[in-house]
Amino acid sequence: MEYNLLCCNVGRRGRLMKDFRQSLAGKGLVVGTDNWSVAPAIFLADKMYVTPKITDPHYMEEVFSICEKEKIRAVGTFIDPEIEVLAAHREEFLAKGILPLCPSLHTAQLCMDKYLMFKHLREHGVRTVLTYRTLADFQAGLGAGEIDFPVFIKPVKGSGSVGARKVNDMETLKDLFAEGAHDYIIQELMTQGDCDADVYVDCISHEVVSVFSKRKIETRIGGASKTISFKDPSLFAFVQEVAAVLELSGPNDMDFFYKDGQWYLSEINPRFGGAYLHAYGAGVDFVKYILQNMDGKACTPEIGQYDEGVLMLMYDDVVIAREADLLRDYHD
């Protein structure tokens, strides 16, 4: 039986397609989808499909049709808004013998709503960035001495750093809230130890089996573009503490800060992160774990099994294709 992997809404993640195909090494196919026929990464999959947008009422019908046609064994997405969509159909995927590389629906909702995640982590005693949902709550915290300017604001359900910014004073903060461009949360400005970790949570045992941590050297919109690997046993232990209060499955991109000698969780994207390329380049292969999980086998933990001081330096690349090779686009 082939180990065919469906990657939904792959967009510009072409190098991930190449790495997945290399990891599968002929054991299966990488099938890529997107809602636009000129998404570069679909051309780097073994097979490509153009699907409706995830908001289309027939979207999941199309996904299940592709799964049946291509004998898909595992499915995941590269975009945050689709995580909840797939998570809502976890049981249906499992009933069809397909491994869903996504968390439970409740955990997916927590990961998407940053204030709900803050409350959940606080209730379970997990360190996270101090967060306020409303301007009134922030003003009360400011008056109580819990927080001070400068602060950091971002959309409560944002993605790709859109709308995220530092704010230095109350006048600017009030103006931004009044503009209503985003539904903001207000957070303590964390400035130390900015790093992230690629974490694989076993889909069978639901234990953390791999953690690859890297410090950010340069960050562009949407993620880190230059990183360097490091190891810290206290961070590895904290990752396991975080995972223990959530229902995660498969690849996760976790962001952290360091304050007063302790790690704090910033947020979780329960999918392959763009900087997973660094982990793979340093010898940490999540597809290996996915293959074992496809067969119903739990993986042996290999936390921190990589070298420190390995750099990832992103650069642009291109796909050259013929117009005749484009698939038909869906139209609203």
Side-chain angles (χ1 to χ4, degrees):
M1 183 181 292
E2 288 190 315
Y3 295 89
N4 295 341
L5 174 63
L6 177 61
C7 301
C8 299
N9 286 291
V10 295
R12 302 175 65 235
R13 305 296 192 189
R15 180 59 185 269
L16 278 178
M17 296 291 91
K18 291 181 179 180
D19 288 350
F20 289 175
R21 291 173 68 184
Q22 180 174 319
S23 292
L24 283 171
K27 296 177 182 177
L29 301 177
V30 176
V31 180
T33 78
D34 203 90
N35 61 35
W36 199 16
S37 61
V38 291
I42 59 174
F43 291 90
L44 299 170
D46 292 301
K47 289 192 174 183
M48 61 182 181
Y49 287 85
V50 174
T51 61
K53 293 182 179 179
I54 63 172
T55 53
D56 188 291
H58 302 291
Y59 176 71
M60 284 306 303
E61 179 182 325
E62 185 72 15
V63 170
F64 282 117
S65 175
I66 295 170
C67 287
E68 182 177 4
K69 181 178 180 181
E70 300 296 345
K71 298 181 174 57
I72 296 299
R73 298 282 306 282
V75 58
T77 181
F78 289 177
I79 61 171
D80 294 326
E82 189 176 6
I83 296 167
E84 285 187 56
V85 177
L86 296 182
H89 294 270
R90 272 187 62 85
E91 296 307 315
E92 193 171 352
F93 280 119
L94 290 169
K96 294 177 181 293
I98 301 167
L99 187 71
L101 301 173
C102 62
S104 71
L105 180 57
H106 179 244
T107 292
Q109 292 167 339
L110 292 176
C111 290
M112 194 62 189
D113 188 311
K114 296 172 180 60
Y115 186 67
L116 290 181
M117 175 65 91
F118 165 75
K119 290 203 303 181
H120 179 81
L121 294 174
R122 273 294 182 92
E123 289 168 2
H124 289 82
V126 177
R127 294 184 303 278
T128 188
V129 181
L130 180 60
T131 303
Y132 297 90
R133 184 66 180 90
T134 67
L135 189 56
D137 286 344
F138 167 72
Q139 288 176 305
L142 188 65
E146 298 172 349
I147 192 169
D148 201 355
F149 286 101
V151 296
F152 194 75
I153 66 170
K154 57 187 176 184
V156 67
K157 292 187 176 181
S159 181
S161 301
V162 175
R165 57 169 291 178
K166 176 183 174 182
V167 179
N168 293 312
D169 56 79
M170 182 62 77
E171 183 180 358
T172 304
L173 186 62
K174 287 182 176 179
D175 287 345
L176 288 167
F177 268 72
E179 287 172 6
H182 300 284
D183 185 10
Y184 287 116
I185 55 172
I186 306 167
Q187 295 187 315
E188 176 185 5
L189 180 66
M190 305 287 278
T191 59
Q192 297 181 6
D194 186 9
C195 74
D196 64 26
D198 297 295
V199 178
Y200 192 85
V201 178
D202 194 271
C203 298
I204 307 302
S205 69
H206 298 290
E207 295 181 358
V208 175
V209 296
S210 181
V211 181
F212 177 84
S213 53
K214 65 263 194 193
R215 301 191 190 279
K216 299 174 184 178
I217 299 173
E218 178 186 76
T219 301
R220 297 182 179 179
I221 293 176
S225 56
K226 293 181 175 66
T227 53
I228 184 166
S229 63
F230 76 100
K231 298 182 185 183
D232 184 340
S234 69
L235 177 58
F236 297 156
F238 186 52
V239 167
Q240 293 174 300
E241 183 182 338
V242 170
V245 302
L246 297 166
E247 297 174 303
L248 300 168
S249 291
N252 297 270
D253 177 21
M254 298 187 182
D255 292 336
F256 300 94
F257 289 102
Y258 197 70
K259 176 185 174 183
D260 298 332
Q262 292 183 308
W263 291 103
Y264 285 73
L265 179 69
S266 175
E267 59 183 70
I268 300 175
N269 299 308
R271 55 166 172 78
F272 277 100
Y276 165 75
L277 299 172
H278 190 177
Y280 184 74
V284 178
D285 187 356
F286 284 6
V287 173
K288 175 182 70 174
Y289 304 130
I290 292 171
L291 292 177
Q292 291 186 58
N293 286 169
M294 283 182 188
D295 284 337
K297 299 175 182 176
C299 302
T300 302
E302 298 178 329
I303 296 172
Q305 293 191 15
Y306 58 89
D307 290 335
E308 294 188 278
V310 177
L311 287 163
M312 179 196 72
L313 311 173
M314 280 191 179
Y315 70 98
D316 294 330
D317 203 346
V318 300
V319 170
I320 304 298
R322 293 184 178 275
E323 184 179 12
D325 295 329
L326 297 183
L327 300 178
R328 177 180 63 86
D329 279 324
Y330 280 79
H331 298 285
D332 295 331

